[in-house]
Amino acid sequence: MPLRDTSADHAATDRTFQVDLRGLVDLLSHHLYSSPRVYLRELLQNAVDALTARHAVEPHGNFGIRLYADGKVVRVEDDGVGLTEADVHTFLATIGRSSKRAERIAEQRADFIGQFGIGLLSCFLVADEIHVLSRSARTPDAPAVEWRGRGDGSYTVRTLPASARPRPGTTVTLTPRSDAGEWTRPQQVHALARHFGSLLRHPVTFDDGGQAAPVNPEPAPWARSFPTPGARSRALAAYGEEVFGFAPLDTIELDLPAVGLKGIACVLPEAVPAGRRHGHRVHVKGMLLSEQAEEILPEWAFFVRCVVDAESLRPTASRESLYEDATLAAVRDALAERLREWIARAAASDPDLLGRFLQTHHLAVKSLAVHDDEILRMLLPWLPFETTDGHTTLDEFARTHRTVLVTSSVEEFRQVAAIASAAGLGVVNGGYTYDRELVHRMPEIRPEVSVADLDPATLTAHLDPVDRETELAAAPYLAQARDALAVFDCDVALRTFQPASAPALLVDSREARHERTRSRLAREQEGGLWGDILGALRQEAPRAQLILNQLNPLVRTAVAIDEPELARTSAEALYGQAVMLSRRPLRPAESSLINRSFLDLLAHALRKDS
């Protein structure tokens, strides 16, 4: 059956939505505003916008804002443009409309902070009644107008003699509820005024019944003049410490004239976890918008906290964060470029500062460089690594080693560092987080450098064989040593290498140990389900290799031992010492072997002396 058109049967009637003001205020408090404290920011914001409009009428006037709180009332008075009776009916009685949208002001919309017309409702978070007394500056002979709005949605408007408000402007008075004392006590009102309005361009004072005190006594440090660049730098650093509570490693001045943005970035003096984003302090036309504005900088800029004041950034409806638009994206890119310029400038002219920065933030920088090509190109040559030449940068290391070898673990580096250094091999410890990946990306920055994983065969190829006569003489000892260390899947060989002070080198990778463990499990599970699975994975298990150094006096003495038990004990002791030098965790059997070999050697020495 087709639908029937009922428009001719019933006349349509236009109706107006009925707004439950209490429900709306509850919605604002729980979902729009982060805290009832924003009521004072909204009052200050309305006052600043009124002053901006007044300056459009009287450009050279001297206007300001005055706050008063005595525990009984909170009052905000401004010398702004004021309201006529018609304005009051239009703007204060209609939710969602702002006086900034008036015909003559809408053209200058960018000059105003607030653009959503719901700010005054935030006062109902702390008070049940709002009293507004206003007189228009545009219509000098207009009477003063009084508006009283209540939390139940009702309001009254009446005109008063001009003497009720001698000067143009607006006064908003709140009588706080008993449960709002936390936000309306005089000292708290003063603190909130300084918190939100310390950078406002109009003079703001606070009075608690005594002497009025300035809320914003001086402009931001980046807006002031200083006798020397050093004095300016110290002032900016002192301001950063006052705002964030830490002495910055350095301060980076930020200036983007295209969007009217000025401020500073403070370099954190302590390391932070990679990927952790800090909130930044953002003011819009002097009014604090947010202390947690993560979106002003890219994710990789974890090492700074910013405080900025901007003209052209758009706040969201709550005016507690920034609206994500093309302007914000352009600002984020431009600020990121300022940070890159700071890094490049430090690298070129202040290596000490760059060194302190990387020493503090190297781990987080490395984590970003793995995935961020731009950061990689910028900082990889400067990042410190542990190498066979000591702790140095890859750029410096690559100057003396065109082929860079990298280990897969810290223990592998510990095993080979001394021998590789003596052999002239350039080895980097790739066992730390991100290091191996970054070293392998070095040819992207320095194409003339080649990078390869350290293979045991590469190292052993640099160890010189002993002459045949020496090897034959040592054969009985080497056979007993292999038998003693068979339980550890370890072969034994005799070579000569530097330094001569190193008696033995243990070549054993983590992967080889894992493969031997799989092989052992497969043997133990032979015939079962796990045996079939592990057997399919089984490879020829690589053995560890204990390489004895014929140049070492202790080894030359050991290979000449003709007592079988003493030969076994000495081989176990040499193995245990090589394992400890590798600094890898000891297995229970290895700990037992080290203890046993030590006691046996001690007992042998005591018997010999007696």
Side-chain angles (χ1 to χ4, degrees):
M1 171 183 276
L3 294 175
R4 184 166 57 92
D5 185 354
T6 60
S7 59
D9 299 335
H10 303 284
T13 303
D14 289 336
R15 300 182 181 276
T16 303
F17 283 107
Q18 300 299 308
V19 177
D20 178 358
L21 190 56
R22 286 195 179 95
L24 181 58
V25 171
D26 182 70
L27 182 68
L28 295 178
S29 64
H30 287 92
H31 299 284
L32 185 64
Y33 295 128
S34 61
S35 164
R37 69 177 185 167
V38 299
Y39 82 92
L40 191 69
R41 183 197 65 197
E42 297 294 336
L43 290 177
L44 280 173
Q45 189 164 281
N46 287 343
V48 169
D49 287 341
L51 290 177
T52 302
R54 179 77 181 272
H55 275 290
V57 177
E58 302 175 50
H60 304 295
N62 184 20
F63 310 124
I65 303 170
R66 296 165 293 282
L67 282 73
Y68 175 84
D70 61 2
K72 298 178 181 178
V73 299
V74 175
R75 187 165 61 241
V76 179
E77 181 179 359
D78 67 67
D79 300 321
V81 72
L83 300 171
T84 64
E85 182 179 2
D87 292 335
V88 167
H89 283 290
T90 301
F91 302 121
L92 298 188
T94 305
I95 294 173
R97 182 178 295 177
S98 169
S99 61
K100 277 76 74 177
R101 299 178 192 267
E103 181 178 348
R104 292 202 292 173
I105 299 177
E107 299 173 357
Q108 306 166 19
R109 174 179 181 141
D111 295 332
F112 299 91
I113 302 171
Q115 298 179 11
F116 296 91
I118 58 175
L120 197 62
L121 289 181
S122 66
C123 295
F124 286 120
L125 300 175
V126 297
D128 287 327
E129 183 175 283
I130 305 171
H131 177 260
V132 178
L133 181 63
S134 188
R135 183 177 171 191
S136 175
R138 290 198 181 92
T139 312
D141 57 348
V145 185
E146 178 189 67
W147 178 87
R148 289 183 183 273
R150 289 169 285 276
D152 62 3
S154 62
Y155 70 93
T156 58
V157 179
R158 62 173 180 157
T159 59
L160 300 175
S163 59
R165 172 82 200 196
R167 296 182 300 176
T170 300
T171 301
V172 180
T173 304
L174 310 179
T175 302
R177 293 194 305 270
S178 59
D179 63 350
E182 177 184 359
W183 308 109
T184 57
R185 290 192 299 270
Q187 59 268 37
Q188 179 71 319
V189 173
H190 189 197
L192 290 176
R194 284 193 57 80
H195 179 72
F196 289 117
S198 63
L199 298 186
L200 288 175
R201 289 80 182 270
H202 303 286
V204 183
T205 60
F206 173 79
D207 185 359
D208 60 359
Q211 186 175 1
V215 168
N216 52 344
E218 57 184 5
W222 51 80
R224 305 201 301 265
S225 298
F226 295 91
T228 64
R232 184 177 185 85
S233 295
R234 288 190 292 274
L236 294 176
Y239 182 75
E241 185 171 5
E242 177 186 348
V243 170
F244 296 122
F246 62 82
L249 191 67
D250 195 22
T251 54
I252 307 164
E253 193 159 358
L254 306 173
D255 187 3
L256 303 178
V259 291
L261 183 146
K262 290 179 177 292
I264 57 172
C266 297
V267 182
L268 293 164
E270 297 179 352
V272 294
R276 176 180 173 183
R277 300 188 68 182
H278 288 285
H280 305 288
R281 190 178 177 95
V282 176
H283 298 251
V284 175
K285 300 179 181 71
M287 181 70 72
L288 178 65
L289 181 76
S290 174
E291 295 177 281
Q292 299 297 325
E294 295 181 353
E295 61 274 18
I296 195 75
L297 287 179
E299 290 187 16
W300 60 260
F302 59 88
F303 54 87
V304 296
R305 292 194 68 183
C306 291
V307 52
V308 299
D309 186 19
E311 294 286 336
S312 301
L313 294 178
R314 289 177 57 194
T316 58
S318 67
R319 293 193 277 275
E320 295 186 311
S321 58
L322 294 170
Y323 187 81
E324 189 69 46
D325 58 9
T327 300
L328 178 58
V331 166
R332 184 164 50 239
D333 291 343
L335 292 180
E337 186 58 31
R338 297 294 184 275
L339 298 184
R340 293 188 183 98
E341 289 171 358
W342 173 81
I343 293 173
R345 189 165 56 251
S349 60
D350 196 344
D352 181 62
L353 173 61
L354 183 69
R356 285 185 282 122
F357 165 67
L358 291 178
Q359 184 178 15
T360 301
H361 297 292
H362 68 276
L363 183 61
V365 170
K366 286 178 179 180
S367 74
L368 291 174
V370 169
H371 306 291
D372 188 311
D373 291 345
E374 192 160 5
I375 296 296
L376 178 79
R377 289 191 298 272
M378 188 186 309
L379 290 180
L380 181 60
W382 300 95
L383 288 171
F385 289 82
E386 184 179 13
T387 75
T388 46
D389 291 352
H391 281 83
T392 185
T393 65
L394 283 185
D395 200 49
E396 184 71 25
F397 192 66
R399 292 178 187 175
T400 53
H401 301 284
R402 292 301 182 186
T403 299
V404 175
L405 302 173
V406 58
T407 65
S408 60
S409 67
V410 173
E411 64 191 70
E412 184 178 298
F413 180 80
R414 298 284 186 263
Q415 290 169 10
V416 306
I419 289 86
S421 179
L425 296 176
V427 182
V428 178
N429 186 350
Y432 295 117
T433 307
Y434 311 118
D435 283 16
R436 185 165 173 265
E437 296 169 86
L438 289 173
V439 174
H440 273 288
R441 297 195 67 181
M442 185 64 181
E444 299 176 30
I445 312 301
R446 298 284 185 269
E448 70 277 9
V449 176
S450 62
V451 176
D453 287 324
L454 178 66
D455 185 270
T458 303
L459 183 64
T460 54
H462 285 75
L463 306 182
D464 296 325
V466 297
D467 59 74
R468 183 170 181 78
E469 183 179 342
T470 302
E471 188 168 12
L472 287 173
Y477 178 85
L478 296 178
Q480 293 179 82
R482 293 186 186 104
D483 183 63
L485 301 180
V487 67
F488 300 111
D489 291 317
C490 183
D491 195 8
V492 184
L494 185 65
R495 298 287 187 274
T496 63
F497 53 86
Q498 295 293 337
S501 58
L505 167 66
L506 180 64
V507 179
D508 188 22
S509 68
R510 183 181 303 170
E511 292 74 13
R513 291 198 302 277
H514 289 172
E515 181 57 37
R516 291 197 297 272
T517 300
R518 284 196 296 268
S519 297
R520 186 177 65 255
L521 288 174
R523 289 193 299 270
E524 293 172 355
Q525 298 287 340
E526 197 71 43
L529 175 62
W530 280 108
D532 294 338
I533 295 174
L534 293 172
L537 298 174
R538 188 187 308 172
Q539 302 174 10
E540 184 64 31
R543 306 186 72 191
Q545 196 171 30
L546 181 68
I547 303 175
L548 304 180
N549 186 3
Q550 175 64 17
L551 297 180
N552 183 267
L554 178 63
V555 171
R556 288 201 299 270
T557 301
V559 297
I561 295 173
D562 55 7
E563 299 177 39
E565 287 303 317
L566 182 58
R568 291 176 61 90
T569 301
S570 65
E572 291 173 343
L574 288 169
Y575 174 83
Q577 190 256 1
V579 170
M580 288 190 294
L581 284 179
S582 73
R583 301 186 189 180
R584 69 167 168 82
L586 295 175
R587 290 174 287 181
E590 291 170 336
S591 297
S592 177
L593 173 140
I594 292 170
N595 291 332
R596 186 179 67 251
S597 62
F598 171 76
L599 293 175
D600 287 349
L601 288 174
L602 180 61
H604 175 80
L606 292 174
R607 286 196 304 270
K608 184 177 180 181
D609 290 341
S610 61

